[in-house]
Structures are given as structure tokens and as C-alpha cells.
Amino acid sequence: MKKILVLLFCFLVLLLTACGGPEKKAEKPAEPAKKEEPAKPAEPSKNAEGKQVLNLFSWADNFDPEVLADFEKKFNCKINYDVFANNEELLAKIQAGGARYDVIQPSDYMITTMLKLNLLEELDMSKIPNTKNLIKDLQAPAYDPTGTHSVVYSWGITGIAYNKKYVKTPPTSWRDLWNPAYKGRVVLLNDVREVISFAMKMHGHSLNSVDKNHLAECMKDLKALAPNILAYDTDTIKQKFIAEEAWIGTMWSGDAYFSFKENKNIGFVVPKEGTGIWADCFAIPKGAKNKALAQEFINYLYDPKVSAKNYEYIGYNDPNLAAAPYHSEEFKNDPILKTAKDYIGNSEWTADVGDAIELYDRCWTELKTGK
């Protein structure tokens, strides 16, 4: 029996050897690498009526509603206007999905930050020729030295607004905000850089200081200011002053102009320690779906007649030199706007503080939470 099994085994081995063993599948030749197709430009947003949509992300009350309506009519489009309270909120939204917006309005130092993060489209200046009329000093500022990724929309200074009915002696120093007579009546801008900046100036430091000792010094004072604070507010600060809920606080010059028009008791001063100059800019985020319409919008806002109408409504200094003949005498001679002009060359720009922003943010959280 064993011999039979051995013979059968040998026979099978010979048979398999003759057939070349189990059949192997032929390997396919490697396919040539496919060339990457260039990315197709994003399709412009349209609403249910088939109109193009311009998604705008800006500060509150930053445009004359009639100017926006006129643009919609002229270009047969719809504007969606979303609002942010500060630059850090803007940055977070853009990092989370900036392509949903076509036009954004970062401030000076935030332009620098966004450029480092490659978050902004390069502007085609041939499509926005009206910007050639901007004040020369604002055409290629330090935060965007090539002047190809942003355009200054509004600019001004930060000072102290106060109600003359309740603040009998005009403030002269940032330190005046700590007066115990103003308990629960002080409003500060809801912006980390603005709040820490005036404290830095009060102590004689650069508003861009990243020195930990300087920050600690400022934080000690700002925490001591807490009993006086009614609110941190950028969205409705004008309304608080007009309604006389707030008696004194930090305010941008344009908002002070607007508040003064509604309540003649409002005064505005630049403290003796100095202040900061700022600019809010037009920019287009990377991947914006409607870049062409965005550039039309920017150019339209700088049409001289449109510009004059718009800035008289929002109350900020008009950077458009060609608009001057169309402004009212009241606007040209307004004392608050003149104050801003006086300080344009004597104020400090807010700069990107790099990694120190994390320290600033921790300070801000402490101030807002009281911890």
C-alpha cells in the first residue's frame, strides 16, 4: 500500500512540474502618471432668482444702506452683509472657510497676519481704477507694502468719547477712565488690541509691545478698572453713548462723529500719552466665489460721488481725495474728523505681534471672564 501511495505522489509531482506549476497572472504595465488638471474657478454664488450674490463680511453700520441698494440695482445682484465684532473673530471665520465670503474688511495688523497665512487673493488693480485717488500715504502702508492685497476703506484714531453732562472736566489722560465717579458707566471697545493698546500708551510703552512685564503692568490696571466697566462693545457702542447709558469710554473717531451728530453732548479727545492710528481695509479671501463682482464693489465704493455719500453717512474720514468737492462743509469742518487728521502723522500703527498674540488672547480671556 505504501508503495502505491509513493508512486501516486511521484506521478503528481511530475505532472505539476510539466505544467509549470500554478498559473501566474501577468502583471499589468504601470500606467503613466496623469497630469493634474488646473483647478476650475469657483462658480459665482447665485440666489433663487438667478442673481449673483456678493457675500460681505464687515463691521456693523459700516455702509450707507442706500449705497448698498444702489450697487445691487446697478449690477443686478444681491448683497449678503454679515457682521463681526473684532479682527480675531474675522480671522477664525476665514480660517474655518473663508471662501464663503467675497469681500472682507480686516484692520491693518490683521492684513499682515492674513498675508502670512496666505489667506488673501491678490487684487487686480486694473479692475479697481478708482483707488488711484486714495491718499498717497495709504496706498502702500507698512502692513501691506506692495499694496496689492488690500485697499484702505476707513481710517481714524482711537480716543476717549465722553458726555459733557456727566463728565464735567474734559479727560486729558487714559488714566481718567479709572475715576470712581464713572462706576458702571465706562464702555471699552470689544477688541483685545484696542484695550491693551491704550493701557500700553498710558504707561509710555509702544502699543505693539510684547514685553511680558509691560503686559503684566497693563493687566493689573485693567483688572482694577472692572468696577467702572458697563460693557466691552463695538457693535452698539454708538447707541450706548447716544442714549447716555455710557458716560465715557474708548471710541473710534468715526463712531464719535456719528454719536455727536445724534447727541451734541458728546465730546472726543486724544489723551496726552498718545494713541493709535488704524485702517479697516477691503480684501478678498482666497477661493472667493465672486472675485469679479467683489472688485466691482470695491471700485464702486471709490467712485467720488458714491464715496462722498457713503462717508458722510458712516462718519469716517474719507481717504478718497477725488471725493473732496462732493463733501458738505459740515463734514469738511467737523471738529472730530479734523482731530483725526491732526494725528495721522503722529500716531502709532497697530502691528502684528506674531506668536505673542497667544499671550494677548490669554490676557483678554482673563479680562472678559474676570478670572
Side-chain angles (χ1 to χ4, degrees), residues 149-178:
H149 289 83
S150 65
V151 179
V152 171
Y153 172 64
S154 58
W155 67 272
I157 57 172
T158 305
I160 293 179
Y162 65 102
N163 189 309
K164 297 172 185 176
K165 280 169 60 176
Y166 307 104
V167 180
K168 301 298 184 183
T169 304
T172 59
S173 168
W174 294 110
R175 180 67 67 181
D176 291 330
L177 297 172
W178 276 257

Side-chain angles (χ1 to χ4, degrees), residues 54-58 101-105 282-285 294 297-298:
L54 183 78
N55 291 301
L56 173 64
F57 199 27
S58 177
Y101 294 110
D102 303 303
V103 179
I104 57 176
Q105 289 201 293
F282 280 126
I284 299 176
F297 178 73
I298 295 170

Side-chain angles (χ1 to χ4, degrees), residues 50-271:
K51 290 184 176 181
Q52 287 193 68
V53 176
L54 183 78
N55 291 301
L56 173 64
F57 199 27
S58 177
W59 306 88
D61 306 321
N62 217 22
F63 302 91
D64 180 341
E66 289 185 6
V67 166
L68 297 185
D70 289 344
F71 179 81
E72 288 179 323
K73 185 177 180 181
K74 182 173 182 178
F75 289 88
N76 191 32
C77 66
K78 173 67 178 172
I79 295 174
N80 286 337
Y81 181 3
D82 289 345
V83 170
F84 56 84
N86 53 61
N87 281 286
E88 286 63 40
E89 180 185 341
L90 164 65
L91 177 61
K93 280 282 184 75
I94 297 305
Q95 288 181 307
R100 63 176 290 194
Y101 294 110
D102 303 303
V103 179
I104 57 176
Q105 289 201 293
S107 298
D108 34 61
Y109 73 94
M110 188 51 67
I111 292 289
T112 305
T113 301
M114 289 184 157
L115 285 173
K116 287 180 180 177
L117 296 171
N118 195 29
L119 294 175
L120 301 179
E121 292 277 353
E122 185 171 350
L123 302 175
D124 182 349
M125 304 309 287
S126 69
K127 304 294 185 184
I128 46 177
N130 286 334
T131 60
K132 70 179 182 295
N133 296 317
L134 286 176
I135 295 171
K136 188 175 181 180
D137 289 345
L138 299 177
Q139 288 188 9
Y143 54 83
D144 182 13
T146 64
T148 55
H149 289 83
S150 65
V151 179
V152 171
Y153 172 64
S154 58
W155 67 272
I157 57 172
T158 305
I160 293 179
Y162 65 102
N163 189 309
K164 297 172 185 176
K165 280 169 60 176
Y166 307 104
V167 180
K168 301 298 184 183
T169 304
T172 59
S173 168
W174 294 110
R175 180 67 67 181
D176 291 330
L177 297 172
W178 276 257
N179 189 327
Y182 309 142
K183 184 177 181 180
R185 296 293 185 173
V186 174
V187 176
L188 300 182
L189 290 162
N190 185 27
D191 187 296
V192 57
R193 296 300 305 275
E194 286 286 357
V195 171
I196 293 179
S197 287
F198 82 77
M200 287 287 188
K201 282 294 184 185
M202 185 176 71
H203 285 286
H205 308 314
S206 164
L207 57 80
N208 299 307
S209 176
V210 295
D211 186 305
K212 291 183 179 180
N213 293 326
H214 292 171
L215 278 168
E217 186 178 39
C218 292
M219 284 296 291
K220 182 179 178 181
D221 281 333
L222 289 169
K223 286 180 179 180
L225 182 60
N228 280 13
I229 294 177
L230 169 66
Y232 291 97
D233 189 1
T234 51
D235 293 341
T236 61
I237 188 170
K238 299 186 292 294
Q239 290 78 2
K240 284 182 171 64
F241 271 91
I242 293 166
E244 300 188 344
E245 295 174 51
W247 293 355
I248 190 170
T250 57
M251 189 178 263
W252 295 314
S253 52
D255 285 353
Y257 165 84
F258 186 97
S259 301
F260 174 71
K261 285 202 300 183
E262 299 296 322
N263 186 332
K264 298 302 181 183
N265 291 316
I266 304 298
F268 181 77
V269 298
V270 174

